[in-house]
Amino acid sequence: MTTRLLQNLRIVDPSQSMDETGSILIVDGKIAAIGAAVGNKDIPAGCETEDYVGLIAVPGLVDACVHIGEPGAEHRETIASASRAAAKGGVTSIIMMPDTEPMIDDVALVDFVQRLARDEAIVHVYPAAALTKGLKGEEMTEFGLLLEAGAVWLCNGRHTVGNPAVMRRAMTYARDFGAVVAVATQDRHLSATGVMNEGLYASWLGLSGIPREAEIIPLERDLRLAALTRSRYHAMSISVPESAEIIRVAKAKGLSVTAGISINHLTLNETDIGEYRTFFRLSPPLRTEDDRRAMVAALADGAIDIIVSAHDPQDVDTKRLPFGDAENGAIGLETLLAAALRLYHSGDVELMRLVDAMSTRPAQILGLDAGTLKVGARADIALIDPEYPWVLSKDDIASKSKNSAFEDARFTGKVLQTLVAGATVYHA
């Protein structure tokens, strides 16, 4: 029997509304006791005891949107390198998007990812399966077989399903399996030539814009189909207040609808693009400061359920280009929590809600054994110093790709240790 006692921590666990100073007893990789009431009588003889005055313990983060290059583009990111980046950011469970090469649209690929993750990853890696074959939006995949093999939800990667009949059929079949349909909401025709948010700033830069309607129209359509089919639907990354309001109304009607947002859209705005900095070319595009503040409010009141990193590694060949020619995307696993703490320090979002949005709530939506420090749960834990000042240096990035929107950014708050099943997988 292996035992560890983490003492004198502030414990923040939304799954049991716990915010108190106390201890965490870990026995054989699981939480055996937690809280202020943990006493000497609970501690087995020979237990390894560690003192963490000043640190905060939260359930390990669950990142529901992580793009990985493997298989097919291992030069950008492998499952192993992504897992190391995740551990460095306090993320203990990652949901791997299906847009690899080949795409994860059959059972063999789900099995491949699981075996590779088991052998090489230091955090939990869960594959999402393609909603349609080749992510083309035309022909559904074998939902039952994919879910039985271990896929945690059905997703169409970066692509919106253009054909409403296909989307309706997919939602209907997914409902019968109790599965979540998770979809990006960017109309490919309305956003086809755009490279940033449509508006005055895009005009100043001389860049083509993407209207907010490119997000709103497919979202409204999908929610009507979700109402028609009574299916479980998740909008993967919304970025404008109108979308949050649409989600809010759908929830009020009793639909099984949830929404996510990337940490980029909560902490950055379109002016960060500055002099055509391609690390800020994202999909959906960064919006205005008024939009950002409205989305922070929507996160705080629960209209938006979860925060994701939208980790999307790109190499020099695809990112060091003129802004209009560069690929979308930025890495984010290592900075997810640190960036989110900006909202805590600014007083915009309570720490309990932030942890809920990055850990407990995504685990609940996906039905994972994660996002909680309840007795009996797997001891996936992030230990944080909320006042630790640091600067993100390109040389310190664990990801194989270095395209971070937070390069050289100053943060207050850092993950100092990450535990997976009670074992330390990262130590600053």
Side-chain angles (χ1 to χ4, degrees):
M1 181 174 70
T2 60
T3 59
R4 294 180 71 176
L5 180 68
L6 317 182
Q7 290 183 311
N8 299 315
L9 290 153
R10 178 185 171 190
I11 304 167
V12 177
D13 180 11
S15 73
Q16 46 191 332
S17 300
M18 176 182 284
D19 186 350
E20 62 188 45
T21 299
S23 301
I24 304 174
L25 178 63
I26 303 168
V27 177
D28 291 338
K30 295 192 173 183
I31 308 290
I34 186 168
V38 176
N40 291 335
K41 64 181 176 53
D42 300 309
I43 304 171
C47 178
E48 178 186 350
T49 302
E50 300 148 272
D51 196 88
Y52 291 109
V53 173
L55 300 194
I56 298 175
V58 303
L61 307 191
V62 177
D63 191 344
C65 184
V66 177
H67 299 274
I68 296 177
E70 191 173 23
E74 288 83 355
H75 62 288
R76 286 167 38 203
E77 194 80 287
T78 63
I79 289 175
S81 64
S83 76
R84 290 193 294 272
K88 196 171 180 181
V91 178
T92 55
S93 297
I94 60 180
I95 313 305
M96 178 176 163
M97 294 293 100
D99 47 0
T100 51
E101 186 57 47
M103 296 171 188
I104 306 173
D105 61 2
D106 67 33
V107 171
L109 266 298
V110 172
D111 183 58
F112 170 80
V113 169
Q114 290 181 316
R115 283 188 285 108
L116 206 58
R118 180 196 62 204
D119 295 340
E120 299 185 6
I122 59 174
V123 304
H124 308 289
V125 178
Y126 300 95
L131 187 69
T132 59
K133 291 185 178 178
L135 301 177
K136 295 179 179 177
E138 297 170 357
E139 186 179 357
M140 291 189 309
T141 54
E142 296 283 355
F143 292 179
L145 295 176
L146 291 165
L147 294 166
E148 185 178 351
V152 293
W153 66 10
L154 301 162
C155 163
N156 221 46
R158 298 172 173 85
H159 306 287
T160 300
V161 177
N163 188 326
V166 173
M167 193 62 174
R168 176 185 180 178
R169 196 157 53 244
M171 285 184 173
T172 302
Y173 278 94
R175 178 200 62 201
D176 294 340
F177 290 103
V180 178
V181 172
V183 185
T185 52
Q186 284 293 307
D187 184 276
R188 66 186 178 91
H189 298 292
L190 283 172
S191 60
T193 59
V195 297
M196 67 171 292
N197 183 47
E198 184 174 275
L200 185 60
Y201 197 65
S203 299
W204 285 347
L205 293 178
L207 296 172
S208 56
I210 299 173
R212 55 217 301 119
E213 285 75 13
E215 174 177 306
I216 297 167
I217 292 172
L219 177 62
E220 287 186 319
R221 183 209 67 174
D222 284 355
L223 291 178
R224 286 184 179 275
L225 293 174
L228 178 66
T229 59
R230 308 303 295 180
S231 60
R232 298 177 66 194
Y233 176 81
H234 179 77
M236 293 193 64
S237 182
I238 61 175
S239 64
V240 294
E242 292 91 336
S243 296
E245 183 57 27
I246 294 167
I247 294 289
R248 191 179 282 112
V249 171
K251 288 180 175 179
K253 291 179 179 177
L255 301 184
S256 183
V257 169
T258 52
I261 186 169
S262 88
I263 190 61
N264 302 314
H265 292 86
L266 292 170
T267 56
L268 304 170
N269 65 41
E270 61 179 356
T271 63
D272 285 297
I273 291 171
E275 296 182 350
Y276 307 97
R277 297 181 65 191
T278 58
F279 286 4
F280 296 90
R281 180 171 174 180
L282 306 172
S283 179
L286 293 173
R287 303 295 185 177
T288 68
E289 176 61 10
D290 287 344
D291 290 332
R292 185 194 72 80
R293 293 204 61 78
M295 300 308 271
V296 170
L299 173 75
D301 70 24
I304 297 173
D305 297 84
I306 68 172
I307 305 171
V308 299
S309 72
H311 182 81
D312 192 357
Q314 300 289 337
D315 59 23
V316 173
D317 290 341
T318 56
K319 212 61 179 174
R320 298 283 189 189
L321 295 170
F323 196 91
D325 297 330
E327 287 290 334
N328 291 315
I331 60 171
L333 279 165
E334 294 164 64
T335 49
L336 172 61
L337 189 138
L341 286 175
R342 288 180 171 179
L343 306 176
Y344 163 65
H345 288 299
S346 66
D348 290 319
V349 186
E350 294 181 352
L351 184 59
M352 183 73 78
R353 175 69 190 112
L354 279 178
V355 177
D356 179 52
M358 293 187 290
S359 181
T360 301
R361 189 73 182 116
Q364 290 171 343
I365 294 171
L366 287 151
L368 300 182
D369 175 20
T372 180
L373 299 178
K374 289 181 179 176
V375 171
R378 193 170 59 201
D380 295 346
I381 305 170
L383 303 181
I384 307 160
D385 182 343
E387 305 299 333
Y388 191 102
W390 62 290
V391 176
L392 179 70
S393 167
K394 176 184 173 184
D395 295 335
D396 293 333
I397 292 174
S399 279
K400 294 187 77 171
S401 295
K402 311 299 179 187
N403 56 311
S404 172
F406 296 101
E407 183 179 314
D408 297 327
R410 297 179 182 277
F411 294 110
T412 301
K414 185 172 185 168
V415 175
L416 296 189
Q417 193 172 152
T418 302
L419 285 67
V420 172
T424 298
V425 295
Y426 169 74
H427 201 306

